[in-house]
Amino acid sequence: MKGLWGRALWVDLSREEVKVWEYPAEYALNYVGGRGFAARVLWDYLPPGADPLGPENLLVLATGPITGLAVNSGKMVVAAKSPLTGGYGDGNVGSYFGTMLRKAGYDAVVISGRARRPSYLYVENGKAYVLSAEAIWGTSASECERRLKEVHGRSSGVLCIGPAGEKLVKYSVVISQGGRAGGRPGMGAVMGSKNLKAAIALGDMDVPVAEEKETRRLLAEGFKAVKSKEGYSFWERQGTMATIEWSQEASVLPTYNFREGVFEFHRMIDGYSMEAMKIGLHSCPICAMPCGNVVRDYEGAPSELDYENVAMLGSNIGIGHLGHVAVLNRLADELGLDTISVGSVVGFAMEASERRLIEERVEWGDHKKARELIIDIAQRRGLGELLAEGVKRASEKIGGGSQEWAMHVKGLEISAYDCHAAPAMALAYGTSPIGAHHKDAWIISWEVRTGRHSYDEAKVDKLIELQRIRGGMFETLVACRFPWVELGFELDWYPRIFKAVTGMSVGFDYFYEVADRVYALIRAFWVREHGGWSSSMDVPPARWFKEPLTKGPLAGSKLDYDAYMSMLSAYYRKRGWDSRGIPKRETLERLGLADVAEALQKYA
Ligand code: PTT
Ligand code: SF4
């Protein structure tokens, strides 16, 4: 396929060996790139049952055919078997690493083994080396990037882990450009377990495309169209931070460990408060609508804010000063911790302390204690050791009924939308292919608009449609979905750029089929790694079913368990999965996954 080099780097850190891998052409045709490529590699090459933090785990860094060529396409996928969930894990990070990797002559990197000493991978124009990272081990993510750029040049693309990844914190992430983060289900820990502190790419080659002039023309057209959208200027002002106000109004702002959906101090942490503190705007490469809002935090340092970060480190733990929230957010970036999960575990600790299930006192809204805890988590010290394992394992350890309010699905902490009165969003969390993340289907805005209390099948159809576009098309092409989601940029543009780049004239049917294949394959991976499946794995925590909201206009609302389970059954049926949530043989065969069907036979 044009638009892809058709080759990846395969790096065996144990042997300090780097090979060029001409991957099978069917990978590109059937999986396109990004998440699709990663899922297929993990299915084909990861030994079943592998320890996620053992040398046999594979870390996949993957771009797609339009990465670096389309509007908002400075994005890439970081994937591996997750140490947090034991299933498939990935994240999408904005980074010059992805665009430079393409310019260096590769579509992806697959990393196996474990280096004997702290190391980093350096890729430049077709060549690759594993170099010593002893001098930068222990540094913060931004210090690591700064030091490597001093050596390899300012234009190199860098991915780093922080101290949390080195200490194998189960929800540590990979960081780029100081404030871009990816790989919520512990991709940072997988890097750390391999003794891999960083990866750098540098190149100046152009990936061959089918229609060069048309690709350039479409890129310019895309930029112009995005910038002329109605909501553009407000987006430039607030970016994702505008969602705080929306979530408060819709009663979905996670508050006090998802007990409530409204926060009394919401105005102190919203987009307008952010605007008053704003000192800059950062972005991923090739972006037409930058969204990295930088503020100066209460300790005087810059911190890049997003909705999720502020909701989880603000309202969810009772902190109502944006300057304090910004300190915690900056620490998470420096240490390489996922802000959503760390906000959730701190909220969990606050509730556990209130209920006297742990000895340590951690009060709601205590920003100093939250600051200490975040550092202790990254260092795995004291209570931080327990919390570094995530809320699922922490609740199993402390007991006392805490499993009911450990806010996760499949072990991944829930992102920042309360679902007491949002059944479709609850199902989106329940069926997300990586655990409770909103990336595959942010159905909540549609649900709030169209009727939030129903459990009808139209919601299931909408959910699958969103998963196909967001979790399928954008994650395999690989580009940022925000132009479409946030500004209504036309989706039809993507098949056009895909044709210009690859020469393949396809419609949405093609992307949707790829998406369904990738979803079925990822589900098969979960089944294989967990040794079976039960629909209970696709259900959000008991809190949303048992404890109604007590505040705000939706006080009294909670989810209905039986109605949720009927939606889940409808979801399985529409996907061609059985009543436990395992893809049926005929579904796998229809999607060209006969080999996968064979392997799943023992769970039939
Ligand atoms: C993403 C998740 C999100 S989703 C946010 S804010 W969001 C949190 N950001 C974190 C952060 O920052 N620092 C940190 N230490 N941890 C963080 N954890 C959280 O991670 C991100 C944007 C955003 S901002 C979103 S929605 C969109 N996500 C996209 C996606 O998933 N796919 C895609 N094709 N396009 C997307 N565009 C948008 O990108 P994960 P980024 Mg992120 C500081 O990675 O693992 O998927 O988790 O990548 O470059 O920071 O851009 O309101
Ligand atoms: Fe990156 Fe934001 Fe631009 Fe998307 S909109 S490419 S997340 S800066």
Side-chain angles (χ1 to χ4, degrees):
M1 189 193 285
K2 280 268 168 52
L4 288 168
W5 294 102
R7 52 179 187 258
L9 280 172
W10 196 292
V11 182
D12 181 339
L13 289 170
S14 301
R15 296 187 182 160
E16 293 200 11
E17 199 176 82
V18 183
K19 284 190 183 147
V20 176
W21 178 41
E22 312 251 336
Y23 58 83
E26 65 109 11
Y27 272 38
L29 278 175
N30 294 340
Y31 301 93
V32 181
R35 170 184 268 183
F37 176 90
R40 191 70 230 192
V41 167
L42 288 171
W43 177 268
D44 285 345
Y45 295 98
L46 185 89
D51 174 1
L53 296 177
E56 59 276 28
N57 200 358
L58 299 173
L59 179 72
V60 185
L61 311 175
T63 65
I66 71 170
T67 304
L69 300 170
V71 69
N72 287 39
S73 66
K75 288 274 191 180
M76 58 178 288
V77 170
V78 184
K81 179 172 176 180
S82 160
L84 186 63
T85 68
Y88 174 83
D90 74 15
N92 191 303
V93 59
S95 175
Y96 283 96
F97 180 87
T99 51
M100 278 297 178
L101 183 68
R102 297 262 285 163
K103 286 187 163 289
Y106 300 102
D107 302 322
V109 183
V110 182
I111 301 166
S112 65
R114 173 182 288 143
R116 275 192 298 275
R117 53 183 181 154
S119 300
Y120 69 94
L121 174 70
Y122 176 62
V123 185
E124 184 181 354
N125 278 332
K127 301 204 180 76
Y129 312 89
V130 177
L131 303 173
S132 169
E134 267 151 338
I136 48 170
W137 197 252
T139 55
S140 72
S142 63
E143 175 69 4
C144 166
E145 179 157 350
R146 194 185 62 72
R147 301 252 296 262
L148 288 172
K149 282 189 161 179
E150 268 172 20
V151 179
H152 297 287
R154 285 179 58 80
S155 52
S156 50
V158 186
L159 297 174
C160 283
I161 56 167
E166 296 174 17
K167 294 274 186 196
L168 313 182
V169 175
K170 297 268 163 62
Y171 43 88
S172 50
V173 283
V174 176
I175 301 274
S176 191
Q177 301 172 217
R180 311 270 115 202
R184 292 196 53 216
M187 300 302 103
V190 175
M191 254 176 100
S193 73
K194 298 192 170 303
N195 260 331
L196 186 69
K197 177 71 177 171
I200 310 179
L202 195 55
D204 54 18
M205 297 189 275
D206 286 328
V207 59
V209 298
E211 302 163 38
E212 219 173 283
K213 229 166 131 191
E214 179 65 357
T215 302
R216 275 203 304 273
R217 193 192 66 74
L218 280 169
L219 176 61
E221 181 193 297
F223 258 75
K224 198 164 160 215
V226 169
K227 284 178 180 292
S228 64
K229 290 286 170 195
E230 202 189 322
Y232 187 80
S233 57
F234 192 63
W235 173 263
E236 256 195 321
R237 280 172 52 193
Q238 294 202 356
T240 60
M241 283 296 294
T243 312
I244 294 277
E245 193 183 16
W246 178 85
S247 287
Q248 171 75 13
E249 279 169 14
S251 293
V252 301
L253 185 65
T255 303
Y256 302 116
N257 196 27
F258 289 90
R259 272 180 182 157
E260 305 291 346
V262 290
F263 183 47
E264 55 275 38
F265 305 116
H266 64 99
R267 283 194 205 290
M268 309 280 285
I269 59 166
D270 70 7
Y272 298 97
S273 296
M274 183 278 295
E275 280 192 72
M277 295 167 66
K278 189 163 165 174
I279 55 167
L281 190 58
H282 287 173
S283 84
C284 309
I286 327 177
C287 175
M289 46 184 285
C291 71
N293 284 300
V294 185
V295 301
R296 197 168 296 292
D297 67 29
Y298 280 178
E299 294 176 3
S303 175
E304 194 174 321
L305 300 177
D306 263 307
Y307 165 74
E308 303 287 333
N309 309 347
V310 173
M312 295 307 293
L313 292 168
S315 53
N316 195 55
I317 57 175
I319 298 181
H321 279 280
L322 195 58
H324 291 315
V325 176
V327 169
L328 305 183
N329 175 69
R330 171 182 41 92
L331 277 176
D333 282 349
E334 294 296 338
L335 298 166
L337 285 166
D338 175 48
T339 49
I340 296 174
S341 289
V342 83
S344 192
V345 295
V346 172
F348 176 83
M350 287 173 170
E351 182 155 355
S353 162
E354 184 183 66
R355 293 171 182 258
R356 300 289 188 262
L357 289 175
I358 53 173
E359 275 172 28
E360 201 147 342
R361 294 282 63 85
V362 196
E363 306 290 335
W364 294 110
D366 183 345
H367 61 90
K368 285 197 188 131
K369 188 70 198 175
R371 187 187 193 288
E372 257 173 58
L373 260 188
I374 289 174
I375 295 170
D376 285 350
I377 288 169
Q379 296 301 336
R380 283 186 172 270
R381 272 193 312 241
L383 180 58
E385 176 71 51
L386 174 76
L387 299 179
E389 294 293 301
V391 293
K392 178 172 184 283
R393 288 186 178 87
S395 69
E396 285 161 2
K397 195 125 192 211
I398 68 168
S402 60
Q403 278 102 329
E404 302 217 333
W405 39 268
M407 303 307 287
H408 71 91
V409 177
K410 300 184 185 68
L412 182 67
E413 287 75 16
I414 295 175
S415 355
Y417 302 94
D418 184 82
C419 291
H420 278 91
M425 190 65 216
L427 188 65
Y429 285 139
T431 60
S432 150
I434 61 167
H437 199 359
H438 62 293
K439 68 188 282 171
D440 282 71
W442 190 60
I443 197 169
I444 197 157
S445 67
W446 175 85
E447 183 169 41
V448 166
R449 264 198 328 273
T450 56
R452 55 198 302 175
H453 296 292
S454 78
Y455 291 76
D456 56 57
E457 286 203 15
K459 289 194 169 181
V460 180
D461 291 333
K462 185 70 185 177
L463 173 61
I464 292 175
E465 180 195 329
L466 287 176
Q467 290 180 335
R468 284 175 169 157
I469 299 170
R470 296 168 59 113
M473 195 174 95
F474 282 107
E475 296 308 318
T476 56
L477 277 175
V478 177
C480 175
R481 59 172 188 257
F482 274 170
W484 167 66
V485 175
E486 302 289 348
L487 297 179
F489 177 59
E490 292 69 25
L491 265 191
D492 301 358
W493 186 86
Y494 292 93
R496 286 163 62 209
I497 188 89
F498 185 72
K499 174 171 182 298
V501 169
T502 65
M504 281 170 63
S505 181
V506 295
F508 285 105
D509 287 1
Y510 170 76
F511 293 118
Y512 289 0
E513 191 180 303
V514 169
D516 289 353
R517 183 175 300 122
V518 173
Y519 264 62
L521 181 61
I522 292 179
R523 177 50 69 113
F525 182 84
W526 279 92
V527 173
R528 183 179 85 177
E529 298 305 311
H530 278 261
W533 202 255
S534 137
S535 60
S536 61
M537 303 277 284
D538 296 331
V539 180
R543 161 153 286 168
W544 287 342
F545 296 100
K546 290 190 173 169
E547 299 171 22
L549 294 172
T550 66
K551 297 198 179 109
L554 295 175
S557 304
K558 63 182 170 71
L559 290 178
D560 178 325
Y561 181 78
D562 292 337
Y564 176 87
M565 292 311 280
S566 327
M567 276 175 99
L568 183 60
S569 299
Y571 176 88
Y572 292 159
R573 182 168 34 80
K574 285 168 194 276
R575 281 222 169 269
W577 300 357
D578 71 14
S579 58
R580 295 164 298 171
I582 301 179
K584 292 182 182 168
R585 174 176 270 278
E586 64 259 32
T587 306
L588 292 167
E589 284 175 353
R590 177 173 49 78
L591 292 168
L593 296 169
D595 58 326
V596 176
E598 215 40 59
L600 285 198
Q601 198 47 35
K602 61 176 164 189
Y603 307 107

